[in-house]
Amino acid sequence: MALTTALTPDQASARLHELTVIDVRTPGEYASGHLPGAHNIPLDHLDTALPALKTAAGRGDLLVVCASGARSATAGRRLAEQDITVATLTGGTTAWTRLGHDTHRPAGTRTPWAMDRQVRLAAGTLVLTGLVAGRRWNTARWLSAGVAGGLVLSALTDTCGMARILAKLPHNQPAATDLDATLAALTG
């Protein structure tokens, strides 16, 4: 099994010219801003991309990134199991941008709100609506209670049903990653 190492944003920035960067976030997250030169291979397409990633790793070091470092750690483990040595970005693109490093966005894309911001807006609006409407109709308070229960369940299970629902809205549906073009770029 190959090794997985971690690079801080400053270490990665200093070596960016020699790294092949693989961004395992969703196409929407990738479009909101990514490391310069990053290739978007969403985590759920990683198995399809294994041959291209092995080829790219044979030419130089791979850096796998996501928003916080959690998905890139998962990808790093999966790639290491396939004897592909990778590094992950500590703190992900969140730490990268917080430290002021450059990010790129595809031309003509707008920056959607981050999903956690959309969830906070929707949850807050529903709770407030339930409380205000509950002053007139007592049963409307169940809306607030339901949202509160959903937030507790979300924290306990580390999942978010509201985010899954919001992700299906049209403004959260960017153009899909052209995986074939990405794989060709990695192997070419």
Side-chain angles (χ1 to χ4, degrees), residues 62-156:
L62 297 181
L63 175 65
V64 181
V65 302
C66 69
S68 67
R71 285 176 282 180
S72 60
T74 299
R77 284 189 300 274
R78 286 172 53 189
L79 293 172
E81 290 170 357
Q82 299 297 318
D83 290 324
I84 300 172
T85 301
V86 299
T88 59
L89 182 64
T90 303
T93 56
T94 302
W96 177 269
T97 55
R98 186 179 61 242
L99 292 172
H101 294 293
D102 188 30
T103 57
H104 291 176
R105 284 198 337 238
T109 59
R110 60 179 172 71
T111 303
W113 280 9
M115 187 55 68
D116 65 316
R117 183 177 180 191
Q118 292 181 50
V119 168
R120 289 192 309 264
L121 175 68
T125 301
L126 290 171
V127 168
L128 188 59
T129 300
L131 291 175
V132 170
R135 294 185 72 189
R136 182 162 173 99
W137 303 284
N138 283 337
T139 56
R141 292 183 183 158
W142 284 104
L143 176 62
S144 299
V147 172
L151 291 171
V152 169
L153 180 65
S154 174
L156 292 174

